[in-house]
């Protein structure tokens, strides 16, 4: 008697997963059908897709889409960080103002916000700065100050700030309170504590959802179509408004959105791996 089970010497046979193979076969058939549809459907006009892919107005619209994404995310990140710090402040007035901002901008559709900024000149023809009931130091027409581009940045950026505020607040909350207390015990001012101690440690929680928000913002920029800003989608629409080739031009726009989204997703994965290695190294030194 060796004490070993009766079948200990027999080879281990992996469990057959029939459902997995069946699902793979169904997906392969669907993929083949999709490829066949694209290749054999003349109405898709793949020749036009290739011809307009690098057309000048499409390239200008693509550049404007990237500019809107970057600027709106910068506004959202900076203002969202300030709002998150206000939400965590000991001052009840600051907490209330920040909470009201998040409630307002998260509770109304972003399309409505874009249109609001675009049509603001209809109810407020001029904006002025000065002493109440006294002299004005500055005055200008609202329609001159808030161009379609400015309206797009305000609409996208201020809306994004409400979401970034919650992301940053969650990241700050993930940092152990003892880190703040230790920094304050060393005589560091609150602003310096946030900048040098709390925010760098909160970055590992803030970065992944911020990257997702950037990808979402890239696609949300297509909403500026309603205010006539010639971004990627608007440029495609202007072209198919002349030649009535809607589907080929929409494919062109979709391909560029896919390219940009793929690049951002790749950058996000690299950044997350970098942060992951930093956490592992920090744990090893600890």
């Amino acid at each position: 008697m060796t004490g070993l089970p009766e079948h200990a010497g027999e080879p281990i046979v992996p469990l057959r997963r029939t459902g997995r193979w069946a699902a793979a076969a169904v997906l392969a058939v669907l993929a083949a059908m999709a490829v066949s549809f694209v290749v054999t459907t003349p109405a898709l006009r793949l020749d036009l897709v290739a011809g307009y892919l690098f057309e000048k107005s499409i390239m200008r619209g693509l550049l404007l889409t990237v500019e809107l994404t970057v600027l709106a995310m910068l506004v959202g990140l900076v203002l969202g960080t300030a709002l998150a710090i206000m939400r965590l402040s000991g001052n009840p007035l600051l907490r209330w103002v920040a909470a009201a901002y998040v409630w307002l901008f998260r509770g109304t559709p972003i399309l409505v916000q874009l249109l609001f900024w675009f049509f603001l000149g209809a109810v407020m023809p001029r904006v002025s700065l000065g002493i109440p009931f006294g002299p004005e130091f500055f005055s200008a027409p609202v329609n001159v100050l808030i161009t379609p581009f400015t309206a797009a940045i305000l609409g996208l950026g201020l809306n994004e700030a409400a979401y970034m505020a919650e992301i940053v607040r969650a990241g700050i909350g993930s940092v152990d309170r003892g880190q703040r207390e230790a920094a304050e015990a060393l005589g560091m001012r609150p602003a310096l504590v946030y900048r040098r101690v709390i925010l760098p440690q909160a970055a590992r929680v803030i970065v992944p959802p911020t990257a997702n928000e950037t990808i979402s913002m890239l696609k949300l920029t297509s909403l500026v179509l309603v205010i006539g800003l010639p971004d990627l989608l608007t440029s495609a629409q202007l072209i198919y408004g002349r030649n009535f080739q809607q589907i080929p031009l929409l494919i062109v726009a979709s391909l560029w959105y896919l390219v940009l989204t793929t690049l951002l997703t790749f950058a996000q994965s690299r950044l997350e791996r970098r942060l992951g290695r930093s956490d592992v190294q920090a744990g090893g030194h600890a």
Side-chain angles (χ1 to χ4, degrees):
M1 295 291 292
T2 61
L4 296 176
E6 182 179 354
H7 303 288
E10 297 182 3
I12 298 175
V13 179
L15 181 64
R16 295 184 178 181
R17 302 182 183 276
T18 307
R20 179 184 297 178
W21 286 104
V26 171
L27 291 175
V29 171
L30 292 175
M33 291 174 62
V35 172
S36 175
F37 172 78
V38 171
V39 173
T40 61
T41 304
L44 292 180
R45 295 296 306 273
L46 296 183
D47 58 326
L48 282 180
V49 172
Y52 279 106
L53 198 59
F54 296 98
E55 198 268 339
K56 289 184 179 179
S57 62
I58 294 293
M59 290 293 97
R60 288 194 296 268
L62 179 65
L63 179 60
L64 182 58
T65 293
V66 174
E67 290 178 358
L68 288 173
T69 302
V70 172
L71 292 176
M73 285 304 302
L74 285 176
V75 172
L77 183 58
V78 173
L79 182 56
T81 301
L83 288 169
I85 295 173
M86 290 169 63
R87 289 287 300 272
L88 298 170
S89 170
N91 188 322
L93 178 60
L94 293 179
R95 291 200 308 269
W96 184 88
V97 170
Y101 181 100
V102 173
W103 167 77
L104 177 63
F105 282 89
R106 290 180 66 184
T108 53
I110 187 172
L111 186 59
V112 173
Q113 295 174 37
L114 281 170
L115 292 172
F116 175 86
W117 290 111
F118 184 68
F119 291 116
L120 184 62
V123 295
M124 191 172 67
R126 300 186 67 85
V127 62
S128 59
L129 294 176
I131 300 175
F133 307 105
E136 292 183 354
F137 303 122
F138 171 80
S139 179
V142 170
N143 287 334
V144 173
L145 293 177
I146 303 182
T147 63
F149 183 81
T150 306
I153 296 300
L154 289 172
L156 296 171
L158 296 182
N159 179 269
E160 182 61 32
Y163 292 90
M164 285 304 305
E166 296 302 291
I167 292 173
V168 174
R169 186 164 69 97
I172 293 174
S174 68
V175 179
D176 185 75
R177 186 172 181 83
Q179 298 282 338
R180 179 187 303 179
E181 294 173 351
E184 291 175 349
L186 293 173
M188 297 176 68
R189 295 181 178 275
L192 187 61
V193 171
Y194 271 105
R195 189 172 70 251
R196 300 291 297 274
V197 178
I198 297 176
L199 291 179
Q201 295 186 68
R204 67 181 186 276
V205 176
I206 296 172
V207 167
T210 301
N212 289 332
E213 286 293 312
T214 304
I215 294 172
S216 297
M217 178 60 69
L218 172 67
K219 293 175 285 187
L220 281 176
T221 57
S222 62
L223 292 177
V224 302
L225 172 73
V226 299
I227 60 176
L229 203 61
D231 72 318
L232 177 58
L233 181 60
T234 307
S235 299
Q237 186 197 43
L238 291 174
I239 296 174
Y240 73 63
R242 297 192 300 266
N243 62 13
F244 303 103
Q245 297 293 331
Q246 292 89 345
I247 296 301
L249 269 301
L250 290 174
I251 292 175
V252 169
S254 299
L255 288 175
W256 279 119
Y257 281 119
L258 284 171
V259 169
L260 294 176
T261 301
T262 302
L263 292 175
L264 287 174
T265 303
F266 176 75
Q268 175 187 6
S269 63
R270 291 290 299 272
L271 186 57
E272 289 180 359
R273 284 200 298 268
R274 185 182 182 89
L275 289 174
R277 287 198 299 269
S278 299
D279 290 342
V280 171
Q281 292 172 359
H285 290 306

